[in-house]
Amino acid sequence: MLAIETKNLIKQFGGVHAVDHLSINIERGSITGIVGPNGSGKTTFINLLSGMLSIDAGEVVINEAQKFNKILSRQISFYGITRTFQNVRLFEQMTVLDNILVVLTERNIFGSLFEKHTTYHLKIAEEVLHKINLWSKKDQLVINLSYGQRKLLEIARILAMKADIYLLDEPFAGLFPEMKKMLADIIQEFKKENKTVILIEHDMGLMRELCDYIFVMDEGRLLAEGAPDKVLAKREVVEAYLGE
């Protein structure tokens, strides 16, 4: 079964195609990599899937049933989708614990501040913070965390949401090796739970290790696709990365 299918997806900025007639199929329960040189359209593609950018043309199909040519970011959680960002987006003047509780309660930040947190909510928050080794820092303000800890806290937030489709935009960037190992284990657990992961990452070693399938983008278009070892060895893919 397909978790996500895109049909001739287009996004333009000032006449330049950031995503150019992109048609791809992503299997449910898989870890799928999106790779390509800087400016190839990877993040723009994730932004289209998560409603952060409007779709100029084309269609997105979720779970072979829900078809969209327009997705609103505030609606994606209702379709089982969540995401991380290249630049971590957290509430820096709130505690680590409260950053988790926000996504467990009201989707609106102001509503969540006044919603009563149940024992159930607190239990989930504790579980995900233990999972990323941040429970001991639950009462600290996020602004006092290291960059790597903030990245992991963002992962904890999407863990708490218990989604079906995870869009991860360079989640390993800036992490120490032990943090990378922790995150890799979490991503592999998603697959065991039949969750779908779409992963953008520049570390090709990690992509070979984690991904079942890889799509390569270049200048907004699909350049190649296939199993990691096979597709990353293709001449056109090597040339796109090296700029030859």
Side-chain angles (χ1 to χ4, degrees), residues 37-242:
N38 290 332
S40 60
K42 304 182 299 296
T43 294
T44 300
F45 173 60
I46 293 295
N47 286 340
L48 293 176
L49 294 183
S50 59
M52 301 301 294
L53 289 174
S54 61
I55 297 170
D56 290 338
E59 185 177 71
V60 176
V61 184
I62 300 174
N63 293 325
E64 300 183 1
Q66 298 155 325
K67 299 181 179 181
F68 301 92
N69 51 29
K70 180 179 182 181
I71 302 174
L72 300 178
S73 59
R74 66 176 181 270
Q75 295 176 331
I76 65 168
S77 63
F78 295 107
Y79 301 107
I81 300 174
T82 189
R83 68 164 297 175
T84 65
F85 294 85
Q86 279 185 1
N87 300 314
V88 180
R89 299 189 180 186
L90 298 168
F91 301 108
E92 293 190 342
Q93 298 302 324
M94 293 172 62
T95 66
V96 167
L97 179 60
D98 283 340
N99 266 266
I100 302 297
L101 293 174
V102 162
V103 301
L104 286 172
T105 52
E106 289 277 350
R107 294 303 176 217
N108 178 290
I109 175 61
F110 298 106
S112 69
L113 290 174
F114 296 101
E115 182 175 340
K116 183 178 180 180
H117 301 307
T118 67
T119 301
Y120 173 73
H121 293 146
L122 291 169
K123 181 180 179 182
I124 293 176
E126 182 176 356
E127 286 176 354
V128 298
L129 288 175
H130 274 301
K131 199 175 192 69
I132 61 164
N133 291 336
L134 283 182
W135 178 247
S136 63
K137 298 184 182 296
K138 66 182 184 300
D139 296 322
Q140 285 193 22
L141 295 180
V142 168
I143 197 170
N144 295 323
L145 297 181
S146 69
Y147 178 75
Q149 289 169 335
R150 294 185 195 192
K151 295 276 283 191
L152 290 178
L153 180 56
E154 190 175 41
I155 296 298
R157 280 159 57 100
I158 66 169
L159 280 171
M161 294 179 72
K162 301 185 182 300
D164 295 315
I165 300 171
Y166 295 85
L167 312 177
L168 308 182
D169 194 353
E170 298 190 24
F172 292 95
L175 297 185
F176 291 117
E178 61 271 21
M179 291 180 173
K180 287 185 177 182
K181 175 64 167 60
M182 184 190 308
L183 178 53
D185 289 344
I186 289 171
I187 291 174
Q188 289 171 329
E189 283 182 24
F190 286 150
K191 181 180 177 180
K192 291 176 183 177
E193 296 168 358
N194 202 36
K195 308 293 187 180
T196 304
V197 177
I198 301 176
L199 175 63
I200 295 177
E201 179 55 47
H202 286 290
D203 186 329
M204 293 303 103
L206 280 168
M207 296 301 265
R208 285 186 172 90
E209 174 190 345
L210 293 173
C211 294
D212 302 299
Y213 202 83
I214 283 180
F215 293 96
V216 183
M217 293 182 65
D218 187 31
E219 297 182 344
R221 298 185 299 274
L222 181 62
L223 178 64
E225 61 178 285
D229 286 337
K230 184 176 180 180
V231 74
L232 293 176
K234 288 187 175 183
R235 178 177 177 81
E236 61 266 32
V237 173
V238 174
E239 289 178 349
Y241 268 102
L242 296 179

